[in-house]
Amino acid sequence: MELDEYNRCVDLHADGVYRFIIKQIRDRDAAKDIVQDVFEKMWKKLATIDATKAKTYLFTSAYHTLVDYTRKNSRNANFTEVDHNQHSHSSQYSDLKEILNRGLELLPEIQKTVLLLRDYEGYNYAEIGEITNLNESQVKVYIFRARTFLKNYIGKPEQVI
């Protein structure tokens, strides 16, 4: 990768990487630090990165840096499944985005990650698998579980609207 390709990559993908991270951790300063770390890692490996795969490299690196950050700063118990009976939204409220964001916060880290990569960033299943080191069927299962949880969390559309 050449210097001009790197600069173009920063211009094109910095906002997307930041959005991906901020949705995960909700800490603007930490998200900015992680984005900076990701681009620094890319800068150090500039000669070995193919410019056509730069976006995938960035999101893969962001995901792994985010996992390290989460493990380091984790204060909550780590769980892989959500008890659907414990978490649900039943009161009438009109701000679907706020309800959806609260529901995203309740998802396990891996489900939240694959759902954000698919629905917010537009990656296909194979690309998400490459970023998260999961096979395609695992990605599909995690996305299905996350969407099912969010559907149950939001409840009936009449309660939200």
Side-chain angles (χ1 to χ4, degrees), residues 3 6 36 42 46 48 52 57 63-64 80 84 86 90 94 100 111 122 127 129 136-137 145 147 151-152 156:
L3 180 61
Y6 175 81
Q36 188 173 11
M42 186 178 204
L46 199 61
T48 61
T52 60
Y57 174 85
Y63 170 73
H64 291 295
T80 57
H84 296 287
Q86 182 182 5
S90 59
S94 62
L100 189 58
Q111 289 181 16
E127 292 171 326
E136 205 169 315
S137 62
R145 289 178 182 170
R147 287 177 178 163
K151 177 182 164 191
N152 292 333
K156 296 180 182 176

Side-chain angles (χ1 to χ4, degrees), residues 60-127:
T60 302
S61 183
Y63 170 73
H64 291 295
T65 305
L66 187 63
V67 168
D68 292 342
Y69 172 83
T70 305
R71 285 181 184 156
K72 181 179 174 185
N73 296 318
S74 179
R75 288 182 220 101
N76 298 332
N78 191 6
F79 56 93
T80 57
E81 293 294 324
V82 174
D83 180 9
H84 296 287
N85 297 325
Q86 182 182 5
H87 303 290
S88 66
H89 174 77
S90 59
S91 61
Q92 189 165 355
Y93 192 69
S94 62
D95 192 359
L96 181 59
K97 183 178 179 184
E98 185 178 323
I99 294 168
L100 189 58
N101 285 335
R102 278 191 273 147
L104 280 171
E105 293 301 317
L106 297 173
L107 287 172
E109 180 184 333
I110 190 64
Q111 289 181 16
K112 182 178 174 182
T113 299
V114 296
L115 186 69
L116 290 173
L117 287 171
R118 176 73 177 164
D119 293 341
Y120 282 77
E121 299 300 328
Y123 281 102
N124 65 39
Y125 297 120
E127 292 171 326

